[in-house]
Tab-separated table of all heavy atoms in Angstrom:
chain	number	residue	atom	x	y	z
I	26	MET	N	72.919	-16.859	33.186
I	26	MET	CA	73.777	-17.657	32.290
I	26	MET	C	74.488	-16.771	31.283
I	26	MET	O	74.248	-15.588	31.201
I	26	MET	CB	72.943	-18.697	31.546
I	26	MET	CG	72.536	-19.885	32.418
I	26	MET	SD	73.755	-21.208	32.438
I	26	MET	CE	74.630	-20.937	33.966
I	27	GLU	N	75.301	-17.416	30.535
I	27	GLU	CA	76.113	-16.659	29.603
I	27	GLU	C	75.456	-16.530	28.235
I	27	GLU	O	74.923	-17.495	27.714
I	27	GLU	CB	77.448	-17.376	29.422
I	27	GLU	CG	78.584	-16.587	30.004
I	27	GLU	CD	79.818	-17.457	30.182
I	27	GLU	OE1	79.830	-18.283	31.116
I	27	GLU	OE2	80.730	-17.302	29.383
I	28	ASN	N	75.499	-15.340	27.713
I	28	ASN	CA	75.090	-15.217	26.317
I	28	ASN	C	76.378	-15.240	25.526
I	28	ASN	O	77.092	-14.272	25.388
I	28	ASN	CB	74.224	-13.973	26.094
I	28	ASN	CG	74.943	-12.793	25.499
I	28	ASN	OD1	75.888	-12.930	24.713
I	28	ASN	ND2	74.506	-11.622	25.843
I	29	SER	N	76.724	-16.399	25.022
I	29	SER	CA	78.070	-16.555	24.509
I	29	SER	C	78.128	-16.354	23.005
I	29	SER	O	77.353	-16.934	22.254
I	29	SER	CB	78.616	-17.927	24.871
I	29	SER	OG	77.694	-18.915	24.516
I	30	SER	N	79.075	-15.533	22.630
I	30	SER	CA	79.404	-15.429	21.225
I	30	SER	C	80.575	-16.351	20.962
I	30	SER	O	81.079	-16.446	19.863
I	30	SER	CB	79.767	-13.985	20.875
I	30	SER	OG	80.713	-13.508	21.789
I	31	LYS	N	81.030	-17.005	22.027
I	31	LYS	CA	82.179	-17.871	21.858
I	31	LYS	C	81.788	-19.193	21.221
I	31	LYS	O	80.665	-19.669	21.323
I	31	LYS	CB	82.880	-18.092	23.183
I	31	LYS	CG	82.106	-18.910	24.165
I	31	LYS	CD	82.909	-19.004	25.450
I	31	LYS	CE	82.011	-19.502	26.576
I	31	LYS	NZ	82.527	-19.139	27.875
I	32	LYS	N	82.751	-19.755	20.577
I	32	LYS	CA	82.543	-20.949	19.783
I	32	LYS	C	83.564	-21.999	20.171
I	32	LYS	O	84.724	-21.680	20.405
I	32	LYS	CB	82.751	-20.593	18.298
I	32	LYS	CG	81.543	-20.876	17.424
I	32	LYS	CD	81.841	-20.499	15.989
I	32	LYS	CE	80.769	-21.049	15.068
I	32	LYS	NZ	81.056	-20.789	13.654
I	33	CYS	N	83.146	-23.228	20.211
I	33	CYS	CA	84.072	-24.307	20.514
I	33	CYS	C	85.126	-24.425	19.413
I	33	CYS	O	84.799	-24.458	18.230
I	33	CYS	CB	83.306	-25.617	20.640
I	33	CYS	SG	84.371	-27.034	20.911
I	34	ILE	N	86.403	-24.474	19.815
I	34	ILE	CA	87.469	-24.558	18.813
I	34	ILE	C	87.549	-25.938	18.175
I	34	ILE	O	88.149	-26.116	17.126
I	34	ILE	CB	88.854	-24.202	19.423
I	34	ILE	CG1	89.156	-25.095	20.635
I	34	ILE	CG2	88.918	-22.750	19.813
I	34	ILE	CD1	90.611	-25.016	21.070
I	35	LYS	N	86.959	-26.933	18.818
I	35	LYS	CA	86.994	-28.292	18.279
I	35	LYS	C	85.846	-28.562	17.312
I	35	LYS	O	86.045	-29.079	16.227
I	35	LYS	CB	86.928	-29.311	19.427
I	35	LYS	CG	88.158	-29.368	20.267
I	35	LYS	CD	89.079	-30.493	19.813
I	35	LYS	CE	90.150	-30.738	20.856
I	35	LYS	NZ	91.486	-30.744	20.351
I	36	CYS	N	84.619	-28.261	17.756
I	36	CYS	CA	83.459	-28.687	16.974
I	36	CYS	C	82.592	-27.541	16.485
I	36	CYS	O	81.655	-27.756	15.729
I	36	CYS	CB	82.620	-29.691	17.773
I	36	CYS	SG	81.669	-28.935	19.097
I	37	GLY	N	82.890	-26.311	16.936
I	37	GLY	CA	82.140	-25.170	16.440
I	37	GLY	C	80.824	-24.914	17.149
I	37	GLY	O	80.105	-23.977	16.830
I	38	SER	N	80.521	-25.740	18.128
I	38	SER	CA	79.281	-25.548	18.878
I	38	SER	C	79.342	-24.280	19.711
I	38	SER	O	80.410	-23.847	20.143
I	38	SER	CB	79.039	-26.759	19.785
I	38	SER	OG	77.978	-26.498	20.678
I	39	THR	N	78.195	-23.670	19.944
I	39	THR	CA	78.163	-22.490	20.809
I	39	THR	C	77.476	-22.792	22.136
I	39	THR	O	77.188	-21.899	22.910
I	39	THR	CB	77.421	-21.332	20.112
I	39	THR	OG1	76.142	-21.798	19.687
I	39	THR	CG2	78.203	-20.832	18.922
I	40	GLU	N	77.219	-24.067	22.367
I	40	GLU	CA	76.594	-24.471	23.628
I	40	GLU	C	77.667	-24.778	24.663
I	40	GLU	O	78.400	-25.762	24.555
I	40	GLU	CB	75.747	-25.728	23.412
I	40	GLU	CG	74.627	-25.561	22.414
I	40	GLU	CD	73.368	-25.014	23.080
I	40	GLU	OE1	73.233	-25.166	24.302
I	40	GLU	OE2	72.541	-24.439	22.361
I	41	PHE	N	77.733	-23.927	25.679
I	41	PHE	CA	78.700	-24.150	26.747
I	41	PHE	C	77.978	-24.289	28.077
I	41	PHE	O	76.902	-23.755	28.276
I	41	PHE	CB	79.695	-22.988	26.825
I	41	PHE	CG	80.702	-23.002	25.721
I	41	PHE	CD1	80.404	-22.436	24.485
I	41	PHE	CD2	81.940	-23.575	25.909
I	41	PHE	CE1	81.328	-22.456	23.455
I	41	PHE	CE2	82.876	-23.596	24.878
I	41	PHE	CZ	82.568	-23.034	23.645
I	42	THR	N	78.579	-25.005	28.970
I	42	THR	CA	78.020	-25.084	30.309
I	42	THR	C	79.156	-25.088	31.324
I	42	THR	O	80.327	-25.162	30.961
I	42	THR	CB	77.114	-26.326	30.465
I	42	THR	OG1	76.384	-26.223	31.689
I	42	THR	CG2	77.919	-27.612	30.461
I	43	GLU	N	78.797	-24.993	32.593
I	43	GLU	CA	79.811	-24.889	33.631
I	43	GLU	C	79.712	-26.045	34.611
I	43	GLU	O	78.645	-26.581	34.869
I	43	GLU	CB	79.635	-23.578	34.405
I	43	GLU	CG	80.072	-22.361	33.628
I	43	GLU	CD	80.043	-21.105	34.486
I	43	GLU	OE1	79.441	-21.125	35.561
I	43	GLU	OE2	80.652	-20.099	34.053
I	44	ALA	N	80.846	-26.419	35.146
I	44	ALA	CA	80.876	-27.405	36.215
I	44	ALA	C	81.961	-26.997	37.197
I	44	ALA	O	82.903	-26.289	36.834
I	44	ALA	CB	81.167	-28.791	35.658
I	45	THR	N	81.831	-27.438	38.420
I	45	THR	CA	82.834	-27.085	39.412
I	45	THR	C	83.491	-28.333	39.976
I	45	THR	O	82.948	-29.427	39.930
I	45	THR	CB	82.211	-26.288	40.583
I	45	THR	OG1	81.185	-27.074	41.173
I	45	THR	CG2	81.651	-24.987	40.092
I	46	ASP	N	84.671	-28.126	40.481
I	46	ASP	CA	85.444	-29.206	41.063
I	46	ASP	C	86.184	-28.618	42.257
I	46	ASP	O	86.754	-27.542	42.164
I	46	ASP	CB	86.427	-29.729	40.001
I	46	ASP	CG	87.225	-30.924	40.509
I	46	ASP	OD1	86.773	-31.604	41.433
I	46	ASP	OD2	88.304	-31.169	39.949
I	47	TYR	N	86.152	-29.308	43.366
I	47	TYR	CA	86.796	-28.763	44.558
I	47	TYR	C	88.280	-29.071	44.561
I	47	TYR	O	88.692	-30.193	44.277
I	47	TYR	CB	86.139	-29.315	45.824
I	47	TYR	CG	86.628	-28.624	47.069
I	47	TYR	CD1	86.234	-27.323	47.335
I	47	TYR	CD2	87.480	-29.267	47.946
I	47	TYR	CE1	86.681	-26.667	48.468
I	47	TYR	CE2	87.929	-28.630	49.093
I	47	TYR	CZ	87.525	-27.326	49.342
I	47	TYR	OH	87.977	-26.688	50.464
I	48	MET	N	89.059	-28.047	44.882
I	48	MET	CA	90.506	-28.179	44.894
I	48	MET	C	91.035	-27.842	46.283
I	48	MET	O	90.981	-26.693	46.701
I	48	MET	CB	91.100	-27.204	43.863
I	48	MET	CG	92.613	-27.148	43.859
I	48	MET	SD	93.219	-25.967	42.626
I	48	MET	CE	92.657	-24.418	43.340
I	49	PRO	N	91.529	-28.819	47.012
I	49	PRO	CA	92.121	-28.516	48.311
I	49	PRO	C	93.463	-27.815	48.140
I	49	PRO	O	94.237	-28.161	47.241
I	49	PRO	CB	92.281	-29.878	48.979
I	49	PRO	CG	92.145	-30.882	47.913
I	49	PRO	CD	91.565	-30.243	46.693
I	50	VAL	N	93.730	-26.855	48.960
I	50	VAL	CA	94.984	-26.102	48.880
I	50	VAL	C	95.657	-26.101	50.238
I	50	VAL	O	95.050	-25.749	51.238
I	50	VAL	CB	94.721	-24.635	48.451
I	50	VAL	CG1	96.025	-23.843	48.433
I	50	VAL	CG2	94.072	-24.597	47.079
I	51	LYS	N	96.906	-26.520	50.252
I	51	LYS	CA	97.656	-26.504	51.497
I	51	LYS	C	98.358	-25.169	51.623
I	51	LYS	O	99.207	-24.818	50.806
I	51	LYS	CB	98.679	-27.640	51.489
I	51	LYS	CG	99.172	-27.997	52.860
I	51	LYS	CD	100.071	-29.218	52.804
I	51	LYS	CE	100.462	-29.639	54.213
I	51	LYS	NZ	101.434	-30.731	54.185
I	52	LEU	N	97.992	-24.420	52.634
I	52	LEU	CA	98.533	-23.078	52.786
I	52	LEU	C	99.818	-23.081	53.598
I	52	LEU	O	100.723	-22.306	53.362
I	52	LEU	CB	97.503	-22.162	53.455
I	52	LEU	CG	96.207	-21.953	52.649
I	52	LEU	CD1	95.227	-21.140	53.457
I	52	LEU	CD2	96.480	-21.302	51.309
I	53	SER	N	99.877	-23.947	54.561
I	53	SER	CA	101.082	-24.105	55.364
I	53	SER	C	101.027	-25.483	55.984
I	53	SER	O	100.126	-26.260	55.693
I	53	SER	CB	101.158	-23.015	56.435
I	53	SER	OG	100.141	-23.261	57.396
I	54	LYS	N	101.978	-25.786	56.855
I	54	LYS	CA	102.008	-27.100	57.486
I	54	LYS	C	100.714	-27.428	58.205
I	54	LYS	O	100.229	-28.542	58.184
I	54	LYS	CB	103.162	-27.138	58.500
I	54	LYS	CG	104.274	-28.053	58.040
I	54	LYS	CD	105.352	-28.156	59.100
I	54	LYS	CE	106.597	-28.796	58.509
I	54	LYS	NZ	107.758	-28.685	59.359
I	55	MET	N	100.169	-26.411	58.862
I	55	MET	CA	99.033	-26.647	59.727
I	55	MET	C	97.697	-26.268	59.101
I	55	MET	O	96.649	-26.594	59.631
I	55	MET	CB	99.194	-25.863	61.042
I	55	MET	CG	100.394	-26.290	61.855
I	55	MET	SD	100.322	-28.053	62.296
I	55	MET	CE	98.976	-28.008	63.493
I	56	SER	N	97.738	-25.544	58.033
I	56	SER	CA	96.460	-25.023	57.569
I	56	SER	C	96.133	-25.456	56.152
I	56	SER	O	96.948	-25.427	55.232
I	56	SER	CB	96.450	-23.497	57.740
I	56	SER	OG	96.311	-22.855	56.523
I	57	LEU	N	94.918	-25.905	56.031
I	57	LEU	CA	94.424	-26.417	54.757
I	57	LEU	C	93.192	-25.616	54.372
I	57	LEU	O	92.307	-25.388	55.179
I	57	LEU	CB	94.070	-27.896	54.927
I	57	LEU	CG	93.861	-28.723	53.672
I	57	LEU	CD1	95.155	-28.855	52.881
I	57	LEU	CD2	93.356	-30.101	54.050
I	58	SER	N	93.153	-25.208	53.141
I	58	SER	CA	91.977	-24.508	52.674
I	58	SER	C	91.590	-25.097	51.333
I	58	SER	O	92.042	-26.173	50.957
I	58	SER	CB	92.269	-23.010	52.549
I	58	SER	OG	91.075	-22.336	52.248
I	59	GLY	N	90.778	-24.405	50.609
I	59	GLY	CA	90.397	-24.938	49.325
I	59	GLY	C	89.581	-23.952	48.539
I	59	GLY	O	89.145	-22.926	49.045
I	60	SER	N	89.390	-24.275	47.292
I	60	SER	CA	88.611	-23.409	46.427
I	60	SER	C	87.948	-24.257	45.357
I	60	SER	O	88.417	-25.348	45.033
I	60	SER	CB	89.522	-22.368	45.778
I	60	SER	OG	88.791	-21.633	44.829
I	61	ASN	N	86.891	-23.739	44.808
I	61	ASN	CA	86.288	-24.401	43.662
I	61	ASN	C	86.985	-23.988	42.382
I	61	ASN	O	87.354	-22.829	42.212
I	61	ASN	CB	84.805	-24.038	43.544
I	61	ASN	CG	83.942	-24.880	44.458
I	61	ASN	OD1	84.231	-26.046	44.700
I	61	ASN	ND2	82.889	-24.296	44.962
I	62	LYS	N	87.167	-24.937	41.511
I	62	LYS	CA	87.565	-24.636	40.148
I	62	LYS	C	86.287	-24.637	39.318
I	62	LYS	O	85.458	-25.520	39.477
I	62	LYS	CB	88.497	-25.715	39.588
I	62	LYS	CG	89.883	-25.680	40.139
I	62	LYS	CD	90.709	-26.830	39.573
I	62	LYS	CE	90.309	-28.143	40.207
I	62	LYS	NZ	91.230	-29.264	39.840
I	63	ILE	N	86.161	-23.648	38.472
I	63	ILE	CA	84.973	-23.572	37.631
I	63	ILE	C	85.363	-23.810	36.183
I	63	ILE	O	86.140	-23.059	35.597
I	63	ILE	CB	84.288	-22.196	37.775
I	63	ILE	CG1	83.932	-21.954	39.243
I	63	ILE	CG2	83.039	-22.132	36.898
I	63	ILE	CD1	83.569	-20.525	39.555
I	64	TYR	N	84.839	-24.865	35.632
I	64	TYR	CA	85.121	-25.208	34.242
I	64	TYR	C	84.003	-24.713	33.344
I	64	TYR	O	82.827	-24.897	33.654
I	64	TYR	CB	85.175	-26.727	34.062
I	64	TYR	CG	86.263	-27.418	34.812
I	64	TYR	CD1	86.067	-27.865	36.102
I	64	TYR	CD2	87.495	-27.633	34.205
I	64	TYR	CE1	87.072	-28.522	36.790
I	64	TYR	CE2	88.508	-28.293	34.885
I	64	TYR	CZ	88.286	-28.731	36.172
I	64	TYR	OH	89.277	-29.377	36.849
I	65	THR	N	84.370	-24.092	32.251
I	65	THR	CA	83.396	-23.814	31.209
I	65	THR	C	83.758	-24.695	30.029
I	65	THR	O	84.868	-24.631	29.520
I	65	THR	CB	83.443	-22.331	30.779
I	65	THR	OG1	83.255	-21.527	31.934
I	65	THR	CG2	82.348	-22.023	29.769
I	66	PHE	N	82.818	-25.535	29.638
I	66	PHE	CA	83.156	-26.488	28.586
I	66	PHE	C	82.040	-26.673	27.576
I	66	PHE	O	80.866	-26.393	27.834
I	66	PHE	CB	83.545	-27.842	29.188
I	66	PHE	CG	82.434	-28.488	29.994
I	66	PHE	CD1	81.585	-29.406	29.394
I	66	PHE	CD2	82.256	-28.163	31.317
I	66	PHE	CE1	80.560	-30.007	30.124
I	66	PHE	CE2	81.233	-28.756	32.051
I	66	PHE	CZ	80.393	-29.674	31.461
I	67	CYS	N	82.440	-27.135	26.418
I	67	CYS	CA	81.518	-27.378	25.310
I	67	CYS	C	80.564	-28.511	25.668
I	67	CYS	O	80.982	-29.584	26.092
I	67	CYS	CB	82.315	-27.753	24.067
I	67	CYS	SG	81.289	-28.233	22.673
I	68	LEU	N	79.296	-28.248	25.485
I	68	LEU	CA	78.282	-29.244	25.815
I	68	LEU	C	78.265	-30.393	24.807
I	68	LEU	O	77.783	-31.478	25.099
I	68	LEU	CB	76.913	-28.546	25.828
I	68	LEU	CG	75.791	-29.119	26.685
I	68	LEU	CD1	76.251	-29.354	28.117
I	68	LEU	CD2	74.625	-28.148	26.682
I	69	ASP	N	78.796	-30.147	23.650
I	69	ASP	CA	78.747	-31.185	22.615
I	69	ASP	C	79.941	-32.138	22.665
I	69	ASP	O	79.776	-33.342	22.640
I	69	ASP	CB	78.676	-30.542	21.231
I	69	ASP	CG	77.277	-30.031	20.943
I	69	ASP	OD1	76.328	-30.559	21.559
I	69	ASP	OD2	77.137	-29.112	20.130
I	70	CYS	N	81.145	-31.583	22.750
I	70	CYS	CA	82.314	-32.468	22.686
I	70	CYS	C	83.144	-32.469	23.964
I	70	CYS	O	84.047	-33.275	24.105
I	70	CYS	CB	83.187	-32.097	21.482
I	70	CYS	SG	84.122	-30.587	21.707
I	71	GLY	N	82.857	-31.552	24.891
I	71	GLY	CA	83.551	-31.562	26.163
I	71	GLY	C	84.831	-30.760	26.197
I	71	GLY	O	85.529	-30.736	27.223
I	72	GLU	N	85.170	-30.095	25.112
I	72	GLU	CA	86.362	-29.247	25.083
I	72	GLU	C	86.242	-28.144	26.136
I	72	GLU	O	85.233	-27.457	26.210
I	72	GLU	CB	86.504	-28.619	23.686
I	72	GLU	CG	87.659	-27.645	23.535
I	72	GLU	CD	89.023	-28.329	23.542
I	72	GLU	OE1	89.083	-29.563	23.490
I	72	GLU	OE2	90.023	-27.615	23.587
I	73	VAL	N	87.282	-28.001	26.967
I	73	VAL	CA	87.231	-26.998	28.022
I	73	VAL	C	87.645	-25.636	27.478
I	73	VAL	O	88.726	-25.479	26.914
I	73	VAL	CB	88.137	-27.388	29.209
I	73	VAL	CG1	88.176	-26.283	30.247
I	73	VAL	CG2	87.638	-28.678	29.836
I	74	ASP	N	86.758	-24.669	27.640
I	74	ASP	CA	87.040	-23.319	27.165
I	74	ASP	C	87.844	-22.539	28.196
I	74	ASP	O	88.770	-21.823	27.846
I	74	ASP	CB	85.726	-22.598	26.882
I	74	ASP	CG	85.939	-21.175	26.416
I	74	ASP	OD1	86.520	-21.006	25.332
I	74	ASP	OD2	85.554	-20.240	27.144
I	75	SER	N	87.503	-22.683	29.462
I	75	SER	CA	88.275	-21.991	30.486
I	75	SER	C	88.136	-22.683	31.830
I	75	SER	O	87.154	-23.386	32.090
I	75	SER	CB	87.830	-20.534	30.612
I	75	SER	OG	86.584	-20.463	31.276
I	76	ILE	N	89.146	-22.513	32.646
I	76	ILE	CA	89.102	-22.972	34.021
I	76	ILE	C	89.394	-21.770	34.903
I	76	ILE	O	90.374	-21.054	34.670
I	76	ILE	CB	90.148	-24.074	34.304
I	76	ILE	CG1	89.975	-25.250	33.341
I	76	ILE	CG2	90.022	-24.559	35.749
I	76	ILE	CD1	91.118	-26.258	33.421
I	77	ARG	N	88.539	-21.546	35.865
I	77	ARG	CA	88.705	-20.386	36.737
I	77	ARG	C	88.754	-20.849	38.184
I	77	ARG	O	88.061	-21.789	38.566
I	77	ARG	CB	87.514	-19.445	36.535
I	77	ARG	CG	87.754	-18.031	36.944
I	77	ARG	CD	86.631	-17.132	36.432
I	77	ARG	NE	85.391	-17.288	37.190
I	77	ARG	CZ	84.245	-17.727	36.695
I	77	ARG	NH1	84.146	-18.043	35.447
I	77	ARG	NH2	83.188	-17.846	37.454
I	78	ILE	N	89.574	-20.171	38.969
I	78	ILE	CA	89.598	-20.440	40.402
I	78	ILE	C	88.639	-19.485	41.083
I	78	ILE	O	88.726	-18.272	40.899
I	78	ILE	CB	91.032	-20.250	40.974
I	78	ILE	CG1	92.036	-21.120	40.207
I	78	ILE	CG2	91.048	-20.554	42.468
I	78	ILE	CD1	91.779	-22.593	40.253
I	79	GLU	N	87.711	-20.052	41.845
I	79	GLU	CA	86.655	-19.235	42.422
I	79	GLU	C	87.156	-18.317	43.531
I	79	GLU	O	86.844	-17.144	43.572
I	79	GLU	CB	85.564	-20.156	42.969
I	79	GLU	CG	84.305	-19.425	43.392
I	79	GLU	CD	83.236	-20.411	43.829
I	79	GLU	OE1	83.462	-21.172	44.791
I	79	GLU	OE2	82.198	-20.446	43.190
I	80	ASN	N	87.920	-18.891	44.442
I	80	ASN	CA	88.322	-18.146	45.626
I	80	ASN	C	89.816	-17.853	45.596
I	80	ASN	O	90.615	-18.609	46.129
I	80	ASN	CB	87.943	-18.952	46.867
I	80	ASN	CG	88.300	-18.238	48.142
I	80	ASN	OD1	88.574	-17.040	48.144
I	80	ASN	ND2	88.325	-18.970	49.239
I	81	THR	N	90.215	-16.748	44.994
I	81	THR	CA	91.640	-16.452	44.855
I	81	THR	C	92.222	-15.821	46.110
I	81	THR	O	93.438	-15.757	46.246
I	81	THR	CB	91.903	-15.496	43.675
I	81	THR	OG1	91.136	-14.326	43.859
I	81	THR	CG2	91.557	-16.145	42.350
I	82	THR	N	91.357	-15.381	47.012
I	82	THR	CA	91.859	-14.660	48.196
I	82	THR	C	92.729	-15.561	49.064
I	82	THR	O	93.621	-15.067	49.759
I	82	THR	CB	90.714	-14.105	49.047
I	82	THR	OG1	89.843	-15.178	49.382
I	82	THR	CG2	89.926	-13.054	48.277
I	83	ILE	N	92.485	-16.876	49.022
I	83	ILE	CA	93.292	-17.772	49.857
I	83	ILE	C	94.740	-17.851	49.406
I	83	ILE	O	95.601	-18.305	50.126
I	83	ILE	CB	92.694	-19.191	49.925
I	83	ILE	CG1	92.643	-19.822	48.530
I	83	ILE	CG2	91.319	-19.171	50.561
I	83	ILE	CD1	92.272	-21.293	48.544
I	84	PHE	N	95.017	-17.414	48.187
I	84	PHE	CA	96.383	-17.456	47.677
I	84	PHE	C	97.152	-16.180	47.981
I	84	PHE	O	98.356	-16.111	47.796
I	84	PHE	CB	96.383	-17.692	46.158
I	84	PHE	CG	95.807	-19.019	45.771
I	84	PHE	CD1	94.494	-19.108	45.353
I	84	PHE	CD2	96.577	-20.159	45.845
I	84	PHE	CE1	93.953	-20.346	44.996
I	84	PHE	CE2	96.048	-21.400	45.491
I	84	PHE	CZ	94.739	-21.482	45.069
I	85	LYS	N	96.432	-15.156	48.414
I	85	LYS	CA	97.087	-13.880	48.682
I	85	LYS	C	97.676	-13.856	50.075
I	85	LYS	O	97.090	-14.354	51.016
I	85	LYS	CB	96.078	-12.733	48.517
I	85	LYS	CG	95.655	-12.593	47.063
I	85	LYS	CD	94.526	-11.585	46.918
I	85	LYS	CE	94.061	-11.563	45.449
I	85	LYS	NZ	92.789	-10.859	45.283
I	86	LYS	N	98.850	-13.291	50.150
I	86	LYS	CA	99.531	-13.238	51.448
I	86	LYS	C	99.058	-12.029	52.247
I	86	LYS	O	98.821	-10.998	51.692
I	86	LYS	CB	101.052	-13.141	51.243
I	86	LYS	CG	101.623	-14.246	50.416
I	86	LYS	CD	102.078	-15.414	51.296
I	86	LYS	CE	102.024	-16.680	50.557
I	86	LYS	NZ	102.741	-17.754	50.520
N	30	ZN	ZN1	82.823	-28.739	21.071
């Protein structure tokens, strides 16, 4: 886990956690792929600190 020195900009909490969400990506007419989005958000108020795309290789040509 993260040892965060980061602070929520909304409520000042330092408790953050992560969640993922699947994002389908259409690469071409025939091919569909996808990647997880990883959210890091404040455990107290839900403010999202960052969103990261897990699998960036599918976007590279
Ligand atoms: Zn917060």
